Amino acid sequence: MASQRKNSKDSSALQPASRDLDFADNDLTAILFGELNKNLQTLEQCCGVTVHVRGNGARITGLGHEVELAAELLEQFYGLIRKGLKLFSSDFAFGLRVLESNPQARLDKIFLDKVFITTQNRIISPKTGNQKNYIDAIRNNDIAFGIGPAGTGKTYLAVAMAVSALTNNKVRTIILTRPAVEAGEKLGFLPGDLAQKVNPYLRPLYDALSDMLGPEKSAALIEQGIIEIAPLAFMRGRTLSNAFIILDEAQNTTREQMKMFLTRIGFDSQAVITGDITQVDLPVPRMSGLLEARNILQSLEGIAFCPFTQADVVRHPLVQKIITAYERKQEEDEIPARPRPSSAGKTTQPT
């Protein structure tokens, strides 16, 4: 009997359906729909539905499940706009991913979590459930690891949390570091002293700071030593107290480097370690320090590990598809070939 009800529910989700929505406030509805209904066009592309506007209302048509998702998105975003959310078209794609993974999710718990407000009054906030978990883990633990593919906001959100801690006088300094490891190509003859040679490796961290604080203010804080951006090798022998420390590209640390970094952390300090274990640029024989840390530190209190997936990618939509394609290919390569039977009935290994 239960299976019959389930089958009936599943079949109704695949049947054509429609849903009418009405919104009371003209101004909020205009924001929700977007200029020239641009947001609704994005909603149609994301959910596979058709939306017809009727004054302050909209009729959504499509398959039952998709109609319900689109309606839930519009209703929740309308409530978020009422609470002050500045809505972007891309938020519909992010919100859809959240509701697809958890239909009971409340988007306000994610989108209204203000991590930092930039000098251009742009609010930095999580866009996915895993990003929200990551932010909460940084708030509630002395050491947090963010591990996942490129474009999931691991480094950017960590820098935002660091800048927020500094501006709220929770720490005195921010230290941003990453190992200087070549990503396949050889760059050994770069001009300049050691600091100038490694500077290109640290460019993503400079870019994130500039985006949040503005180029002038970020440069001034770096000049004063309040924000330090340095290669990981410069951390050896130091004790980093009253600081927010971020180790980026940690998949390219060796075991020794990871242990060295983790043991630099002093009193009143917090550390965030980010990396993508699918993009290890170390020589093949050397095991990534990030992989080892994940294996041996999972059970320690005060340390959190936050996984990200391709569903958390917040870059161009094609980036998510590219990551998915590579992951699929990697899985195919890891599947061993099946032994084939010989003519005599014995099993032989593939050549």
Side-chain angles (χ1 to χ4, degrees), residues 304-316:
F305 285 82
C306 303
F308 291 87
T309 70
Q310 51 84 18
D312 299 300
V313 172
V314 291
R315 291 179 181 170
H316 191 285

Side-chain angles (χ1 to χ4, degrees), residues 51-69:
V51 182
H52 297 284
V53 176
R54 301 175 302 148
N56 274 10
R59 167 165 286 190
I60 308 171
T61 58
L63 298 181
H65 174 66
E66 294 168 346
V67 167
E68 289 305 313
L69 269 179

Side-chain angles (χ1 to χ4, degrees), residues 118-136:
T118 71
T119 54
Q120 299 176 339
N121 290 323
R122 184 169 60 84
I123 298 173
I124 298 175
S125 62
K127 298 294 185 181
T128 71
N130 283 336
Q131 286 190 353
K132 170 62 175 172
N133 294 337
Y134 180 53
I135 293 299
D136 289 341

Side-chain angles (χ1 to χ4, degrees), residues 67-119:
V67 167
E68 289 305 313
L69 269 179
E72 183 68 17
L73 271 177
L74 284 176
E75 289 178 333
Q76 289 210 41
F77 275 132
Y78 180 79
L80 289 173
I81 295 170
R82 185 184 292 277
K83 294 178 180 179
L85 175 72
K86 186 176 181 180
L87 185 66
F88 297 92
S89 293
S90 58
D91 289 336
F92 283 95
F94 302 141
L96 176 63
R97 294 180 202 171
V98 173
L99 292 180
E100 283 181 329
S101 61
N102 179 14
Q104 308 303 319
R106 299 303 306 169
L107 298 183
D108 58 341
K109 302 295 184 183
I110 298 174
F111 284 82
L112 294 183
D113 187 347
K114 297 180 181 179
V115 176
F116 185 70
I117 301 176
T118 71
T119 54

Side-chain angles (χ1 to χ4, degrees), residues 119 163 166 203 205-229:
T119 54
V163 174
L166 180 67
R203 190 73 253 170
L205 301 176
Y206 284 102
D207 292 342
L209 282 173
S210 180
D211 188 46
M212 295 173 200
L213 297 172
E216 294 82 9
K217 186 173 182 179
S218 61
L221 291 174
I222 292 171
E223 181 69 24
Q224 297 167 25
I226 296 174
I227 296 178
E228 179 183 351
I229 305 179

Side-chain angles (χ1 to χ4, degrees), residues 98-281:
V98 173
L99 292 180
E100 283 181 329
S101 61
N102 179 14
Q104 308 303 319
R106 299 303 306 169
L107 298 183
D108 58 341
K109 302 295 184 183
I110 298 174
F111 284 82
L112 294 183
D113 187 347
K114 297 180 181 179
V115 176
F116 185 70
I117 301 176
T118 71
T119 54
Q120 299 176 339
N121 290 323
R122 184 169 60 84
I123 298 173
I124 298 175
S125 62
K127 298 294 185 181
T128 71
N130 283 336
Q131 286 190 353
K132 170 62 175 172
N133 294 337
Y134 180 53
I135 293 299
D136 289 341
I138 293 174
R139 288 174 175 148
N140 299 323
N141 295 273
D142 292 331
I143 300 175
F145 287 78
I147 303 175
T152 50
K154 306 181 299 296
T155 302
Y156 193 81
L157 289 174
V159 173
M161 289 292 290
V163 174
S164 176
L166 180 67
T167 55
N168 289 310
N169 297 316
K170 294 181 179 179
V171 295
R172 292 179 187 171
T173 58
I174 295 174
I175 299 174
L176 309 175
T177 185
R178 64 190 299 181
V181 175
E182 298 161 345
E185 66 274 22
K186 296 297 181 183
L187 305 174
F189 296 102
L190 290 173
D193 57 23
L194 179 58
Q196 291 171 322
K197 286 179 184 291
V198 300
N199 188 64
Y201 295 101
L202 307 173
R203 190 73 253 170
L205 301 176
Y206 284 102
D207 292 342
L209 282 173
S210 180
D211 188 46
M212 295 173 200
L213 297 172
E216 294 82 9
K217 186 173 182 179
S218 61
L221 291 174
I222 292 171
E223 181 69 24
Q224 297 167 25
I226 296 174
I227 296 178
E228 179 183 351
I229 305 179
L232 182 58
F234 286 19
M235 299 298 109
R236 189 175 298 277
R238 300 176 59 183
T239 299
L240 309 175
S241 299
N242 208 333
F244 197 114
I245 315 150
I246 299 173
L247 171 57
D248 191 30
E249 297 288 337
Q251 76 276 4
N252 288 326
T253 60
T254 63
R255 298 172 176 179
E256 296 79 11
Q257 287 175 323
M258 178 61 76
K259 181 181 178 182
M260 179 272 292
F261 172 79
L262 292 173
T263 54
R264 297 308 95 199
I265 301 170
F267 290 105
D268 300 318
S269 286
Q270 186 171 9
V272 178
I273 298 94
T274 69
D276 178 3
I277 57 176
T278 68
Q279 294 189 14
V280 178
D281 298 314

Side-chain angles (χ1 to χ4, degrees), residues 149 310 313 317-333:
Q310 51 84 18
V313 172
L318 274 177
V319 174
Q320 183 182 10
K321 296 178 182 179
I322 290 169
I323 292 172
T324 302
Y326 272 97
E327 288 178 346
R328 187 182 303 115
K329 180 63 168 63
Q330 183 177 8
E331 290 174 359
E332 292 173 355
D333 292 343

